[in-house]
Amino acid sequence: MNQPSPKRRGRFITLEGGEGAGKSTQVEGLKRFLEDQGIALVTTREPGGTPVAEAIRGLLLSRDHPAMHPDTELLLMFAARAEHLRTLILPALEAGRWVLCDRFTDATYAYQGGGRGVDPARIAALEVWVQGPVRPDLTLLLDMDVKTGLARARGRSEADRFEQEAVEFFERVREAYLERARSEPARYRIIDASRSVEAVAGDLQQAVSSLMGTGQGT
Ligand code: TMP
């Protein structure tokens, strides 16, 4: 098998956003909500999610390599994704479980494309190469002001390699996310993440509810 199988039965949901948008907190809340609805769910993250992909994450986020070439960064993101998709995400979906993933390929378009300036056509080529026809069923974009998000993220732990970037980098990331969301309104929900945890959680629950009882994934 060279390309991932499209025989999916579970739903594939991704959560995206800039630094400090509250993704980790919301993943936990959404997991409880979906499990309460009787849905068998796997939560995971990118880059990472499996031992090999987590090792690649260590390399990507380490401040020991501040000068990594953007192409290397891009290929490492997709190397981690290939492992994650084949050994964790697809087996779960094929077994009928739902997968809630903290970041996926939209992050590559936003960070490597928008942030680093990599040509989106190169990202699209790798997307097809690694994922074949597999795309998320629903992508929840937690959007908020860049400076507020960065202050939150930087206040809670030591900055990783990405968090050290300048504000302008994250402004480009945000714009790239919003542009993708606007161009694919059927898959995306843009959620104002500057509000309370409860208000954001309510919107996320409403968005995922639209996937319930609507037949099987493709
Ligand atoms: P996290 O902070 O949400 O765990 O994500 C780790 C960092 O990796 C974050 O700064 C965004 C970055 N990233 C990319 O640059 N490209 C990608 O494709 C993914 C999945 C993450």
Side-chain angles (χ1 to χ4, degrees), residues 1-216:
M1 183 187 81
N2 289 323
Q3 286 226 323
S5 156
K7 284 186 241 108
R8 294 195 275 143
R9 293 190 294 122
R11 295 292 188 179
F12 183 24
I13 304 169
T14 57
L15 205 57
E16 299 281 358
E19 312 298 315
K23 287 187 292 90
S24 314
T25 309
Q26 295 297 345
V27 164
E28 284 312 306
L30 204 50
K31 176 177 157 63
R32 279 196 300 277
F33 173 76
L34 286 165
E35 285 175 348
D36 285 350
Q37 314 294 311
I39 288 166
L41 179 80
V42 176
T43 55
T44 185
R45 69 171 180 182
E46 288 213 346
T50 73
V52 169
E54 287 289 333
I56 298 172
R57 177 189 178 92
L59 198 55
L60 279 162
L61 299 195
S62 167
R63 287 162 54 174
D64 295 344
H65 314 289
M68 188 183 294
H69 192 282
D71 285 354
T72 313
E73 186 178 284
L74 175 67
L75 289 166
L76 284 174
M77 287 295 174
F78 272 105
R81 185 162 297 136
E83 179 73 15
H84 189 209
L85 193 67
R86 284 164 173 74
T87 69
L88 190 144
I89 296 175
L90 286 175
L93 293 173
E94 284 163 13
R97 285 194 283 278
W98 288 33
V99 174
L100 175 58
C101 190
D102 183 344
R103 298 196 189 279
F104 195 62
T105 306
D106 293 291
T108 312
Y109 283 99
Y111 282 78
Q112 282 64 55
R116 302 268 189 243
V118 171
D119 181 355
R122 307 189 76 187
I123 302 173
L126 287 169
E127 182 178 33
V128 170
W129 200 92
V130 169
Q131 297 167 220
V134 177
R135 301 289 180 277
D137 296 300
L138 176 67
T139 297
L140 304 160
L141 175 59
L142 298 186
D143 178 60
M144 72 182 292
D145 171 70
V146 166
K147 285 192 182 134
T148 315
L150 278 178
R152 273 197 204 171
R154 286 175 177 161
R156 72 180 170 221
S157 60
E158 205 187 335
D160 63 32
R161 200 171 62 84
F162 287 98
E163 286 164 354
Q164 286 185 306
E165 291 293 334
V167 171
E168 297 72 45
F169 175 89
F170 294 105
E171 295 286 4
R172 293 196 298 276
V173 168
R174 183 185 188 193
E175 209 30 65
Y177 266 135
L178 287 171
E179 209 179 292
R180 281 185 71 70
R182 290 186 201 112
S183 70
E184 270 189 82
R187 172 166 69 89
Y188 261 102
R189 297 289 179 284
I190 303 174
I191 289 153
D192 174 1
S194 67
R195 298 167 303 150
S196 69
V197 170
E198 295 73 25
V200 173
D203 280 6
L204 294 177
Q205 290 170 11
Q206 199 178 16
V208 299
S209 296
S210 68
L211 290 180
M212 291 173 196
T214 53
Q216 304 297 323

